[in-house]
Amino acid sequence: MVDGHGGDHAVAVARAHGVETLFTLSGAHVFPMYDGAVKADPPMRLLDVRHEQTAVFAAEATAKLTRTPGLAVLTAGPGVTNGVSAVTSAWFNGSPLLVVGGRAPAFRWGTGSLQELDHPPLLAPVTKRAVTVETVDAVADEVDDALRLATAPHRGPVFLDVPMDQFFSRADVQLPEAPVRERHAPDPDDLSRVGALLAGAERPVLVIGSDVWADGAEHAALRLAETARIPVITNGMGRGVLPAGHPLLVTRARSEAFGRADLVVVVGTPLDFRLGYGTFGGKDEAPAAAVVHLADSPGQLARHVELAASAAGDLSMVLDGVLKAWEGTGSSTAYDGWTTRLQDTARAAVDKDRGLLDSDADPIHPVRIYGELNRRLADDAVVIGDGGDFVSFAGKYIEPKAPGGWLDPGPYGCLGTGLGYAMAARLARPSSQVVLLLGDGAAGFSLMDVDTLVRHNLPVVMVVGNNAGWGLEKHPMRFLYGYDVIADLAPQTRYDEVVRALGGDGELVTTPDGIGPALDRAFASGVPYCVNVATDPELAYPRNTTGV
Ligand SMILES: Cc1ncc(C[n+]2csc(CCOP(=O)(O)OP(=O)(O)O)c2C)c(N)n1
Ligand SMILES: [Mg+2]
């Protein structure tokens, strides 16, 4: 039993679900949550930020990295609406998250009290559930249900708001039972079909996506890839499941792999623009590839492509089941020629780019930054990307050495994740390197939250790819119209000085040889440190997809 106000109940239940940190920005409507956190035994950590989007991005990144739900608490009205883009990112990413909003008091509803807004209709399209908790004695059960729903595959955000008068009221309530993780077994016939397709394939490719990591299936994925010796391409949080340098990882031969495959098995990620909408094969008149989709839940299976087979359920069970079915066909791998061909292509791509990673071009080529960074990253580093072209280059040239070491914004592509993701990474991995890669444009969305890093003593190495503009808009606009407009930012803006002014440290780098020593100083500094690198504004990331 807990005898207390709504905040006491909510904090106790959240803790039972593994929540350790409450991300927020102060607002009276949600004071009971703070009081509940302060008076809990032991207290729950309060992490107060400078913009509500940062609170939600931080809660989301906590969920992504720790695979326990994130918690953000937003005050009524503008607090909640400021969090909407970040909630939407969590929705697109399938990140388990509880957002608790304040709400104008029920007894005054309709009379025009401060920040009186009915939030659930705004949040409903981008959450698994968005409801108002009507009375204080329902808070504990509603928070428990919300966290169960958020963490059940396919995961995602849930929103609750609590009218202020109820939130501050007291009740003596029974806390719900501790949650137990449920695993849903896939249909064995589905697994047999996938096993048979694999056994019959000559040129298969396995695509490992974010939900493999989210569902704790990284070992099963590695087992399947290594036992059947299938070439692999990873994306999102699936990056690192096959660590950098793994012989089966052929991401650098992606176009050849997808273009010439006869079977593509996609696990734990939607068949969206990042995967050519699920159409593979066809390179140099190769026939279309058969496509298999494996997902954490039936609702995630693609309906816009014809699938040769599919399976849904706990992804470890799915992947181990596929392996067993493949073994049951009596197959031993027959793909080695295909794999060697992809490995050769990948190696040639790497060799071709070696010059870029060492480039001494002046102005600086952005890829030189990744050449320097790669030499300095430890196996357990967390690298975060927030930006356009600068982050696309990072995706190509930084290959994680372990899963859970790469954070990008995901398919919603929302700029501004940077500082929220970085503070969550520092909290989740206290002894790892945390490197935040920021476009100079992206930096503007969240740089004020360096103040939060400073106040909470959270050292992070920030690297700004300062190309004096919105590169990923500037170059496409030039391509389409022959000119560009509103795509420039001031050259060599001193983002490093902004970080210094907020209590961190930093420096501007204008020569290629200056990058390495600056990174060394940043890693050694023990404070939030900004390496602000002036890069060539004329360089565009060579891209062949637009995402549309
Ligand atoms: C919130 C938000 N606003 C606008 C965009 C559109 N957009 C995508 S990439 C990009 C440019 C990013 O510029 P920068 O961070 O400097 O990286 P660069 O491409 O220059 O390396 C913009 C404006 C977006 N994705 N998200
Ligand atoms: Mg830029």
Side-chain angles (χ1 to χ4, degrees):
M1 300 293 285
V2 171
D3 186 9
H5 52 59
D8 295 322
H9 304 164
V11 167
V13 175
R15 171 161 279 157
H17 282 263
V19 172
E20 291 180 358
T21 306
L22 184 166
F23 296 96
T24 194
L25 190 157
S26 191
H29 289 86
V30 287
F31 278 174
M33 289 297 291
Y34 309 155
D35 189 54
V38 167
K39 303 214 172 118
D41 183 21
M44 180 175 280
R45 179 162 49 208
L46 288 169
L47 211 297
D48 54 317
V49 299
R50 299 296 301 266
H51 191 303
E52 285 84 0
Q53 71 164 2
T54 297
V56 181
F57 281 135
E60 196 221 346
T62 301
K64 282 180 159 186
L65 290 167
T66 65
R67 299 183 282 187
T68 51
L71 173 63
V73 175
L74 308 179
T75 200
V80 172
T81 51
N82 269 353
V84 171
S85 288
V87 174
T88 312
S89 291
W91 173 244
F92 273 66
N93 289 333
S95 302
L97 191 66
L98 172 62
V99 177
V100 175
R103 184 178 173 93
F107 82 98
R108 285 214 185 278
W109 198 260
T111 63
S113 69
L114 174 72
Q115 298 166 340
E116 183 189 285
L117 177 72
D118 187 21
H119 311 115
L122 274 175
L123 275 299
V126 291
T127 53
K128 294 181 81 174
R129 180 195 292 162
V131 292
T132 298
V133 183
E134 303 289 349
T135 58
V136 66
D137 36 316
V139 168
D141 283 343
E142 288 280 10
V143 169
D144 184 58
D145 284 353
L147 286 164
R148 282 173 202 269
L149 185 62
T151 50
H154 183 61
R155 299 170 180 84
V158 174
F159 176 82
L160 298 177
D161 62 5
V162 188
M164 194 176 183
D165 46 347
Q166 291 296 321
F167 224 165
F168 281 72
S169 299
R170 300 186 72 86
D172 193 5
V173 298
Q174 180 76 41
L175 287 185
E177 307 244 315
V180 216
R181 181 173 168 181
E182 284 175 33
R183 293 174 190 273
H184 293 280
D187 180 333
D189 292 341
D190 290 345
L191 302 178
S192 303
R193 265 191 293 279
V194 180
L197 281 165
L198 256 183
E202 290 173 10
R203 297 180 308 283
V205 174
L206 178 64
V207 180
I208 296 176
S210 295
D211 291 336
V212 170
W213 164 254
D215 220 21
E218 62 273 19
H219 301 296
L222 191 60
R223 253 191 315 273
L224 173 62
E226 289 185 335
T227 313
R229 297 213 297 281
I230 313 170
V232 169
I233 288 175
T234 56
N235 82 11
M237 297 296 291
R239 303 190 71 207
V241 171
L242 268 68
H246 193 291
L248 290 168
L249 185 66
V250 296
T251 311
R252 293 302 308 276
R254 186 188 159 92
S255 133
E256 165 131 358
F258 285 161
R260 294 189 200 279
D262 63 350
L263 174 69
V264 179
V265 178
V266 177
V267 49
T269 190
L271 301 176
D272 62 13
F273 67 92
R274 295 170 300 172
L275 292 176
Y277 302 97
T279 302
F280 305 100
K283 193 177 169 110
D284 302 334
E285 325 230 318
V291 182
V292 168
H293 201 192
L294 307 176
D296 63 6
S297 52
Q300 284 307 105
L301 292 172
R303 283 181 289 270
H304 62 280
V305 243
E306 201 182 318
L307 299 173
S310 64
D314 176 85
L315 287 177
S316 296
M317 290 183 182
V318 168
L319 290 161
D320 283 338
V322 167
L323 177 55
K324 210 161 151 229
W326 174 81
E327 285 170 334
T329 63
S331 276
S332 60
T333 188
Y335 322 131
D336 285 354
W338 162 240
T339 306
T340 307
R341 178 177 174 168
L342 295 177
Q343 286 166 335
D344 289 346
T345 305
R347 203 168 303 115
V350 170
D351 287 346
K352 189 161 156 263
D353 287 344
R354 228 176 273 287
L356 286 183
L357 289 154
D358 293 335
S359 167
D360 51 14
D362 187 1
I364 293 169
H365 195 297
V367 173
R368 172 70 186 264
I369 299 172
Y370 299 127
E372 298 295 336
L373 200 53
N374 274 332
R375 279 193 272 282
R376 291 169 172 81
L377 286 177
D379 287 4
D380 64 346
V382 182
V383 179
I384 302 156
D386 180 13
D389 280 356
F390 188 52
V391 176
S392 303
F393 279 119
K396 190 160 172 186
Y397 296 108
I398 295 198
E399 192 59 50
K401 295 178 188 127
W406 169 264
L407 285 179
D408 60 37
Y412 193 53
C414 187
L415 296 173
T417 55
L419 268 292
Y421 275 23
M423 65 185 65
R426 172 46 71 226
L427 289 170
R429 309 276 168 79
S431 55
S432 302
Q433 293 168 327
V434 174
V435 180
L436 170 58
L437 307 171
L438 283 167
D440 54 330
F445 288 87
S446 71
L447 206 58
M448 194 65 209
D449 260 304
V450 166
D451 168 72
T452 307
L453 297 182
V454 170
R455 280 181 295 109
H456 289 273
N457 190 22
L458 303 172
V460 165
V461 173
M462 289 162 269
V463 183
V464 177
N466 192 341
N467 60 357
W470 306 95
L472 177 45
E473 303 300 346
K474 182 184 182 85
H475 299 289
M477 189 166 180
R478 271 193 194 169
F479 175 77
L480 285 171
Y481 291 90
Y483 76 97
D484 65 87
V485 64
I486 64 158
D488 291 325
L489 295 167
Q492 297 193 11
T493 295
R494 298 299 302 270
Y495 300 103
D496 52 310
E497 301 237 340
V498 175
V499 172
R500 289 170 78 113
L502 292 172
D505 206 348
E507 58 190 288
L508 176 68
V509 177
T510 55
T511 61
D513 289 343
I515 300 168
L519 288 173
D520 289 335
R521 284 188 287 276
F523 282 119
S525 72
V527 297
Y529 196 104
C530 175
V531 179
N532 183 13
V533 188
T535 60
D536 188 346
E538 292 308 314
L539 268 171
Y541 180 81
R543 87 184 51 248
N544 42 26
T545 53
T546 59
V548 182

